[in-house]
Amino acid sequence: MTSDSRIGPPKFGSERETLRAFLDYHRATLAMKCEGLTDGELRQQSMPPSTLSLLGLVRHMAEVERAWFRRVFEDDDVPLVWSDEIDFQAAYDASASTRKEAFTAWEAEVANSRRIERETESLDQAGYQPRWGEEVSLRMVMLHVLLEYGRHNGHADFLREGVDGTVGA
């Protein structure tokens, strides 16, 4: 990691501004954890039996963004990026993936999520979560995705340290 260009969340702001800023901060954290690594290093797995890799996390977060924003608020039938059968585990298999493939998909889904969030009138706006068969609010979606990033960025910390010894935010 060469630099930390992340923008921290505001100390004061509306609920929506704060949620948006924390999401963007965690998105930038994942990208930063992958900065400066080769495709091979990004595919490097943690330890057996786990097959988790940084590239697998990027792919998984593309699926998370799609599943929680696009599928909930626009098209609940849109397939996942790497699985037509709604298999979230498929994204973790980055054995044949490249930085370009994974980051292109992830960045496109993040852009869609940001657009959907901005176009949605209220945090109370309901969308349909097809996996649960029920409606959820934008607030719940933003919090859920934020928690996903927080959990997986913790994994990314350990994965990056295992690749080249780099530690820190």
Side-chain angles (χ1 to χ4, degrees):
M1 297 179 304
T2 56
S3 64
D4 186 349
S5 60
R6 297 173 300 168
I7 298 170
K11 306 292 186 267
F12 297 92
S14 71
E15 180 183 14
R16 191 165 191 166
E17 291 166 336
T18 303
L19 286 170
R20 183 184 295 150
F22 266 104
L23 260 175
D24 282 340
Y25 182 82
H26 275 280
R27 288 167 174 147
T29 298
L30 181 59
M32 187 179 77
K33 287 294 176 182
C34 298
E35 194 174 274
L37 298 177
T38 66
D39 285 357
E41 289 169 327
L42 289 168
R43 285 191 296 265
Q44 188 173 315
Q45 298 174 352
S46 58
M47 69 168 92
S50 176
T51 59
L52 192 61
S53 69
L54 286 164
L55 212 50
L57 286 177
V58 172
R59 288 166 49 104
H60 173 69
M61 291 312 298
E63 298 289 32
V64 167
E65 294 273 0
R66 179 176 282 200
W68 282 97
F69 284 95
R70 197 182 321 184
R71 284 178 55 88
V72 169
F73 290 101
E74 285 189 340
D75 180 1
D76 62 13
D77 285 329
V78 70
L80 294 180
V81 182
W82 287 281
S83 170
D84 292 334
E85 292 84 36
I86 314 301
D87 175 8
F88 285 90
Q89 298 305 308
Y92 286 119
D93 180 8
S95 58
S97 186
T98 64
R99 171 190 293 277
K100 182 177 181 183
E101 177 227 24
F103 273 86
T104 297
W106 177 65
E107 289 165 356
E109 292 307 323
V110 167
N112 276 319
S113 296
R114 286 178 176 141
R115 177 187 52 76
I116 290 165
E117 182 270 320
R118 281 183 167 75
E119 290 174 357
T120 304
E121 288 184 33
S122 163
L123 289 175
D124 294 321
Q125 176 75 39
Y128 179 75
Q129 174 43 275
R131 288 179 70 199
W132 296 351
E134 43 187 0
E135 289 189 339
V136 295
S137 69
L138 175 61
R139 176 183 292 102
M140 187 273 168
V141 167
M142 291 179 78
L143 283 167
H144 182 88
V145 174
L146 178 58
L147 290 171
E148 283 275 332
Y149 273 103
R151 181 167 50 120
H152 291 309
N153 280 340
H155 297 140
D157 286 338
F158 288 118
L159 288 164
R160 180 62 190 251
E161 185 177 5
V163 170
D164 66 0
T166 299
V167 296

